[in-house]
Amino acid sequence: MANPPPAPGARLMLVFTLTPALDPRTVEAAVRAGDVSCVVLRVAPGETVDAARLAEIAGAVQRHDVAVLLDGPDGLVAAAGLDGVHVAAGPALDATLRLLKPAAIVGAGGLVTRHEAMVAGESGADYVAFGPLAPESGDFFRVLDLVGWWAELFEVPCVGVASTLDEVSALAGAGADFVAVSEALLASAGGPAKAVAAVQARLAASASDAGEDAQ
């Protein structure tokens, strides 16, 4: 089954943490279930990652023309054949941009203020992502506000992280270019592939509603 054609409106980013239990087949099935732009693989604090295993997971995704970004050590990008990184704003972002651009994708993540976002956007980041990849209760409304503000004023693509289907709809309605599907949401609805299909249905409904409103 091939990936569905890109739909108008927001596209998907999927977030997975690199653990011994993460099966490349699970990630691949999730990628095939929706209009997925990229997968972000997170390295848990204190964990070490084998480049060969990382390359195996990445290969299962990249064969579907989906980018793989790492929220972790820059050195693994080339070693595992990844497409780029998702990195926190600040000095780390500046250093990573100098090291990896223009050959790789560099996204600015974890943004929580308008000032941080503007600095990251002006630095040359390929996208700005609001809030953490593993959101906590209370994070979403700030993320939604930032997405709505950014989408109206700036051309650099923006990302909002969703942990529920209602949050997916809200971010799409606010103008997010990408909705990052958190692991909490991927673990719901019978597993990642079914969760992605449910998310994609929400995005399609949001795009349809936007089209009707424009008429």
Side-chain angles (χ1 to χ4, degrees), residues 8-93:
R11 299 189 68 194
L12 296 178
M13 298 173 67
L14 308 183
V15 180
F16 290 93
T17 298
L18 288 162
T19 67
L22 184 62
D23 189 334
R25 294 171 296 181
T26 298
V27 181
E28 183 176 12
V31 163
R32 296 176 64 185
D35 177 27
V36 178
S37 171
C38 76
V39 169
V40 180
L41 298 174
R42 301 175 61 230
V43 177
E47 291 292 324
T48 58
V49 179
D50 178 70
R53 171 165 164 73
L54 181 55
E56 178 187 11
I57 297 171
V61 173
Q62 291 167 327
R63 68 170 60 107
H64 300 286
D65 294 323
V66 174
V68 179
L69 309 182
L70 184 68
D71 180 14
D74 295 345
L76 288 170
V77 172
L82 308 185
D83 299 284
V85 293
H86 178 97
V87 61
L93 175 62

Side-chain angles (χ1 to χ4, degrees), residues 74-154:
D74 295 345
L76 288 170
V77 172
L82 308 185
D83 299 284
V85 293
H86 178 97
V87 61
L93 175 62
D94 295 336
T96 302
L97 286 165
R98 290 193 298 270
L99 179 66
L100 296 182
K101 292 287 287 183
I105 298 168
V106 179
L111 301 166
V112 296
T113 69
R114 294 185 178 191
H115 176 71
E116 281 184 338
M118 288 188 289
V119 171
E122 291 171 357
S123 72
D126 292 294
Y127 64 78
V128 294
F130 297 109
L133 293 177
E136 297 181 358
S137 177
D139 286 338
F140 179 71
F141 292 105
R142 177 176 58 191
V143 169
L144 182 63
D145 176 70
L146 288 167
V147 165
W149 161 74
W150 185 271
E152 288 188 358
L153 298 175
F154 302 98

